[in-house]
Amino acid sequence: MYTLLKKCRACGSRTLTPVFNVGVQPLANDFRSDSDPHSGFYPLNVLFCEECSLAQLSVIVDPSVMYSNYHYLTSNSKTMEAHFHVLANDLKSRAGRVGSVLEIGSNDGTLLRFLNGKNFSPIMGVEPATNLSRVALNSGIPTTPEFFNLKTATALRAMDGEYDFIIARHVFCHIPDWMDCVEAISQLCHDDTLVYIEAPYARSTLKGLEFDQIYHEHMSFMSLRPMNRILNRFNLYIQDVVEYGIHGGTIGLFVGRKPPVAGFTDSITAKDWLAFSDTIRSSVIPSMVSLVYDLTKEGKTICGYGASAKSTVWINSCGWTDKSIKFVTDTTPSKWDKMIPGTSIPVVDPGALMRELPSYAILFSWNYAKEIIEKEKLFRESGGKFIIPHTCEII
Ligand code: TMP
Ligand code: ZN
């Protein structure tokens, strides 16, 4: 069901230092109903490569296990729609034109549909989760229902040739074999192809104490130094870097064949990770455990808001059960009436917040805080309060 990481996926080094250990955890998106057997628990350890500074998980869970029952949908939140607008304009102005697009990990086709509406054409997606590629195909978005690798790239090249734009949003952290992936991207690039790579930035994860970004699907934690190393190997270069606020701090890398005048790099050390680990264990988790314990003792009711993968990490790391967290609301219908992985806490529709009116809602979708707090005005006007988990802030 899983394999151990033997060498760094960016540089091949075997000098890997353990820097963060979360014990065993369920798969963060393995939402199941009561009667379904779940996919089990797996070790969750972060190792740091001393050679290139890529932080990565010690185990690789078999992708067919991880993605066979996959409930993550590209969010149609206002926050993400605004991001797609910025991105579409940015791609167009940097390239000075629109053109053909390949999206790797195209999910249900949301971004491709958006780009097509902005005259990017033709479009093609690659999406291994069959439930999602089916949704995309049924709504008219050309999609290859496969994992993206050298084999898939060869088939795409034979069919479509090279692409003007290649987009890999939030996929590098999910891909076990970076060499194969970058080589596959390189095969599909002409001299002017603009490759856009986006991922949560390890530096933001560390700074924001976002340990809930660490789960089995996120096998690597993106930073510039290791990325340069692997891209350069295949004659690809980071030409610009943009930081976005989405998902708690994300970087967008604009990549192409031309080497930049000045390089883009960073330096994250094992020491940074060890300090992060220390703060999470000694302060972040214990503070939330105490807060929930105290509120429950006072007779307050608590629910979760947003059954994100992050909620699975929080709930399992804090050891909460349905005694303390009554339910978690989520907008994704396929998660309803299922349980938060590893627990018997039910996921319910968003209407439950006002129907049940719990005293507190832990905002597990903290990355959409502004939008959610605005949307749920009535909850707060009715006496409800939100808890922001990393800071224990009560709003
Ligand atoms: P994400 O942070 O990985 O995009 O996941 C966010 C989860 O939160 C997703 O399951 C949808 C859910 N969600 C809500 O329940 N309500 C909301 O208003 C928003 C924006 C997201
Ligand atoms: Zn390395």
Side-chain angles (χ1 to χ4, degrees), residues 295 299-303 356-361 379 383-387:
L295 291 174
K300 302 281 196 278
T301 48
I302 305 175
C303 79
E356 305 290 331
L357 212 59
S359 329
Y360 291 89
F379 171 60
K385 292 190 168 70
F386 283 107
I387 301 174

Side-chain angles (χ1 to χ4, degrees), residues 8 10-13 49 51-54 56:
C8 170
C11 76
S13 164
C49 173
E51 178 67 29
C52 78
S53 81
L54 183 70
Q56 49 214 305

Side-chain angles (χ1 to χ4, degrees), residues 108-126:
D108 62 358
T110 299
L111 176 61
L112 282 173
R113 186 176 302 106
F114 186 86
L115 289 174
N116 201 218
K118 299 270 176 194
N119 301 321
F120 286 82
S121 171
I123 52 170
M124 173 56 84
V126 181

